[in-house]
């Protein structure tokens, strides 16, 4: 069993700036999550290697947060898209 770590739950929103509308990630909460690596693939394209890694985040449910597939997870300075909620 993995170690629980704190992750941020964010939603995409927009902010009116001097240069027009700018994308913004608004934090709606912070939860504990166990992070598991599901798969990792390596592809080659024109002498470049690319890695794609899929993770599973098992989070402690918090009814105060409206977590949907439109929400995202921020952890370790990276943003992860939620593909499904079980």
């Amino acid at each position: 069993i993995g170690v629980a770590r704190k992750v941020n739950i964010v939603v995409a929103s927009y902010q009116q700036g001097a240069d027009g509308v700018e994308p913004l990630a608004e934090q709606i909460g912070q939860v504990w999550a166990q992070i598991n690596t599901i798969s990792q693939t390596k592809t080659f394209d024109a002498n470049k290697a690319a890695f794609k890694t899929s993770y599973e985040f098992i989070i402690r449910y918090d009814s105060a947060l409206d977590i949907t597939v439109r929400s995202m997870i921020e952890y370790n300075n990276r943003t992860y898209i939620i593909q499904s909620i079980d």
Side-chain angles (χ1 to χ4, degrees):
I1 297 178
V3 176
R5 305 186 190 282
K6 281 199 171 190
V7 299
N8 296 321
I9 305 296
V10 298
V11 292
S13 62
Y14 297 94
Q15 163 180 308
Q16 186 68 33
D19 297 330
V21 178
E22 301 172 356
L24 178 70
E26 180 180 350
Q27 181 176 332
I28 61 170
Q30 192 174 61
V31 296
W32 289 99
Q34 177 183 329
I35 305 164
N36 302 319
T37 302
I38 300 298
S39 66
Q40 187 173 41
T41 57
K42 183 178 182 179
T43 58
F44 294 96
D45 182 29
N47 298 327
K48 295 180 188 175
F51 292 93
K52 180 181 178 183
T53 306
S54 295
Y55 296 96
E56 174 185 52
F57 290 82
I58 301 173
I59 65 170
R60 181 175 292 176
Y61 178 74
D62 184 349
S63 62
L65 301 176
D66 184 22
I67 301 173
T68 67
V69 292
R70 291 185 177 174
S71 306
M72 296 175 284
I73 295 174
E74 282 186 344
Y75 171 70
N76 204 18
N77 295 323
R78 293 186 180 192
T79 302
Y80 298 90
I81 298 169
I82 298 175
Q83 294 180 345
S84 68
I85 298 174
D86 296 329

